[in-house]
Amino acid sequence: VSPADLRVRALSGLPEISPGDPLGELIARSASATGEDIVVISQKVVSKAEGRVRRLSEVAPGEEAKELARRTEKDPRMVELALTESRAVIRAEPGVLICETNDGWICANAGIDASNTAGEDEVTLLPEDSDASARRLRQELLEHGGQAPAVVIADSFGRPWRLGQADIAIGCAGLTALDDWRGRKDAAGRELAATEIAVADQLAAAADLVRDKDSNIPAAVISGLGELVIADDGPGAKSLQRPAGQDLFR
Amino acid sequence: VSPADLRVRALSGLPEISPGDPLGELIARSASATGEDIVVISQKVVSKAEGRVRRLSEVAPGEEAKELARRTEKDPRMVELALTESRAVIRAEPGVLICETNDGWICANAGIDASNTAGEDEVTLLPEDSDASARRLRQELLEHGGQAPAVVIADSFGRPWRLGQADIAIGCAGLTALDDWRGRKDAAGRELAATEIAVADQLAAAADLVRDKDSNIPAAVISGLGELVIADDGPGAKSLQRPAGQDLFR
């Protein structure tokens, strides 16, 4: 089924989010998303609501972090947090620290981010398990909104070979994250070359287009793709992680 | 200026495109895009209109292609075309051939694609210079539609670390391809971490969400982001190419 029309609405008017805030309930109250919609939520507000916030002034960097901070010319306390949040360092160069997080995401600084936080030395960590966060948020949306839209948790990642950041999915629930076209034919009956489509990532990218980075728009609602929403929570965004053994760029 | 609402409309009803067809005129007739819109066009139809189509039965693979075909377990004629279209081979493994194209894009098989072509052994090459193609199409849209929307030429690329393909921009005109946020502050007055946003890639991804791979939907019109459309053609999608010297993953 091909949708003819897709709408992306920015969700504004949410209060500043603090640890313990009922994020799903707050979104349900202002979003009016249906069970055919996809709600894309910024990692930053999810991390805040989950208390995944640290003060740099309270971090004591160890020897490994200090040495890596020298190599990367980064704040040793940021590096200490990145190491704690990671299971591997993929690249370390002046100005660049690319990690594989404990949750399996490959990104700069293990996804630790200092912008849009409350305090001067506050940073956010990624959620511990963003798929679990998405499932919880979907459940809260259902409880407080009466509908179960799909949920995507999005973050801005850099990419090899290409400049600039684009939003990708680090968590999702109720969504076919990776649309499998293998075996399907094109209009002329030939096997398709594009065999798997990273639908969750493309939804994250579409939502980012309506979110100004400086205006704290924490979520967007995407309508018109109801065929992607599934009743069960599905395999999550981790189904988008390429197994290390199949990856040529680590 | 933050847009509150974004719309993506699939453009259907275009005839099958053949070499020499006036693609811009055909799109102008059925799209009714304004100067505030962004028209995202599939690489495949642009290549067809430009005659960037080859018959595998007419390709005679050389020695280098034959050797590389053995290593990658690919059709030697496909490999011959990929080598002709590339300035470097980035990775070659069984089942995988990742090239840097003459136009600077890093992708599988130099972007050569066998699906959705007319003949049994026909393949499409990428446009020779997709930014030039985008500029031409924008000019044709202006001539035949009276308006100059921005134009993005999109293709589906695989990504390191992540499974599935996502659409990215290989050409554009009239668009700020890379939105530079450096120096801007967040709501709390702190410098932003996400400093450059790959807007053109995110537009390509959003458009792909309304294009079924098997139904030949060759374009989509995105409305609600008029502030991204610029009067001159701008730097094109090549401004998204990360210089080799700054790239840690080649």
Side-chain angles (χ1 to χ4, degrees):
Chain A
V1 189
S2 171
D5 207 336
L6 169 71
R7 260 187 83 197
V8 188
R9 285 174 290 139
L11 188 69
S12 54
L14 240 65
E16 182 70 34
I17 300 295
S18 301
D21 280 348
L23 182 59
E25 184 181 346
L26 291 167
I27 292 175
R29 279 202 203 140
S30 59
S32 69
T34 77
E36 303 273 282
D37 290 339
I38 297 146
V39 179
V40 182
I41 308 174
S42 156
Q43 161 269 322
K44 183 66 57 76
V45 288
V46 178
S47 291
K48 284 182 185 176
E50 293 181 353
R52 296 280 289 163
V53 177
R54 297 292 180 272
R55 293 186 181 284
L56 287 181
S57 56
E58 294 172 1
V59 175
E63 277 315 307
E64 189 189 354
K66 284 180 187 166
E67 195 278 321
L68 195 53
R70 274 189 294 271
R71 259 170 71 201
T72 57
E73 299 166 6
K74 286 176 178 279
D75 184 326
R77 303 167 303 172
M78 279 285 279
V79 174
E80 175 67 32
L81 286 176
L83 286 176
T84 308
E85 293 295 311
S86 298
R87 58 191 186 203
V89 172
I90 303 292
R91 293 285 190 284
E93 303 262 331
V96 181
L97 177 61
I98 298 175
C99 302
E100 181 178 356
T101 70
N102 296 329
D103 204 19
W105 304 111
I106 296 179
C107 58
N109 310 313
I112 298 168
D113 188 359
S115 63
N116 278 313
T117 50
E120 180 57 39
D121 79 330
E122 228 169 74
V123 297
T124 49
L125 316 177
L126 295 188
E128 274 195 287
D129 177 346
S130 300
D131 281 329
S133 303
R135 290 192 295 269
R136 270 197 304 273
L137 286 163
R138 190 183 196 209
Q139 184 59 34
E140 290 170 29
L141 289 174
L142 174 61
E143 277 166 25
H144 297 281
Q147 303 262 359
V151 169
V152 173
I153 298 176
D155 197 7
S156 300
F157 280 14
R159 302 91 45 88
W161 316 326
R162 301 181 77 81
L163 293 173
Q165 297 194 318
D167 267 38
I168 51 86
I170 59 171
C172 67
L175 184 77
T176 308
L178 189 65
D179 207 6
D180 193 345
W181 292 70
R182 283 173 295 189
R184 289 208 218 178
K185 310 286 190 203
D186 65 19
R190 301 176 68 175
E191 194 95 5
L192 289 169
T195 46
E196 291 185 298
I197 314 295
V199 172
D201 289 336
Q202 299 199 135
L203 290 163
D208 191 51
L209 290 168
V210 302
R211 292 199 290 107
D212 255 3
K213 291 283 174 296
D214 57 354
S215 58
N216 268 342
I217 292 174
V221 179
I222 300 182
S223 308
L225 292 173
E227 77 277 9
L228 295 177
V229 183
I230 53 180
D232 64 322
D233 286 332
K238 279 189 197 70
S239 64
L240 292 168
Q241 291 176 355
R242 190 184 290 273
Q246 298 172 21
D247 198 297
L248 302 176
F249 299 96
R250 298 198 182 202
Chain B
V1 190
S2 173
D5 207 336
L6 168 71
R7 258 188 84 198
V8 188
R9 285 175 289 138
L11 188 70
S12 54
L14 239 65
E16 183 70 34
I17 300 296
S18 301
D21 280 349
L23 181 60
E25 183 181 344
L26 291 166
I27 292 174
R29 279 201 203 141
S30 58
S32 70
T34 76
E36 304 273 282
D37 290 339
I38 297 147
V39 179
V40 182
I41 308 173
S42 156
Q43 161 270 322
K44 184 63 59 74
V45 289
V46 178
S47 292
K48 284 182 184 175
E50 294 180 352
R52 297 281 289 164
V53 177
R54 298 291 180 272
R55 293 186 180 284
L56 286 181
S57 56
E58 295 171 1
V59 176
E63 276 315 307
E64 190 188 352
K66 285 180 186 166
E67 196 277 322
L68 195 54
R70 274 189 294 271
R71 260 171 70 201
T72 56
E73 299 166 5
K74 286 176 179 279
D75 185 327
R77 303 166 303 172
M78 279 285 278
V79 174
E80 174 67 34
L81 286 176
L83 286 176
T84 307
E85 293 295 311
S86 298
R87 57 190 188 203
V89 172
I90 303 293
R91 293 286 189 284
E93 304 261 332
V96 180
L97 176 61
I98 298 175
C99 303
E100 181 179 355
T101 70
N102 296 327
D103 204 19
W105 304 110
I106 296 179
C107 59
N109 309 314
I112 298 168
D113 187 0
S115 64
N116 278 312
T117 51
E120 181 58 40
D121 78 330
E122 228 171 71
V123 296
T124 50
L125 316 178
L126 295 188
E128 274 194 288
D129 177 346
S130 300
D131 281 329
S133 304
R135 290 192 295 270
R136 268 196 306 273
L137 286 163
R138 190 183 196 209
Q139 184 59 35
E140 291 171 28
L141 289 173
L142 175 61
E143 277 166 25
H144 297 280
Q147 302 262 359
V151 169
V152 172
I153 298 176
D155 197 8
S156 300
F157 280 13
R159 303 89 45 88
W161 316 326
R162 301 181 77 81
L163 294 173
Q165 297 193 316
D167 266 37
I168 51 86
I170 58 171
C172 68
L175 184 78
T176 307
L178 190 65
D179 207 5
D180 193 344
W181 292 70
R182 284 173 294 189
R184 290 207 217 179
K185 311 285 191 203
D186 65 18
R190 300 177 68 174
E191 194 95 6
L192 289 169
T195 47
E196 291 185 297
I197 314 295
V199 173
D201 289 337
Q202 299 199 136
L203 290 163
D208 192 52
L209 290 168
V210 301
R211 292 200 290 107
D212 254 3
K213 290 283 171 297
D214 59 354
S215 58
N216 267 342
I217 292 174
V221 179
I222 299 182
S223 308
L225 292 173
E227 77 278 9
L228 296 177
V229 183
I230 53 179
D232 64 322
D233 285 333
K238 279 189 198 69
S239 64
L240 291 168
Q241 292 176 356
R242 190 183 289 273
Q246 296 173 23
D247 198 298
L248 302 175
F249 298 97
R250 297 198 183 204

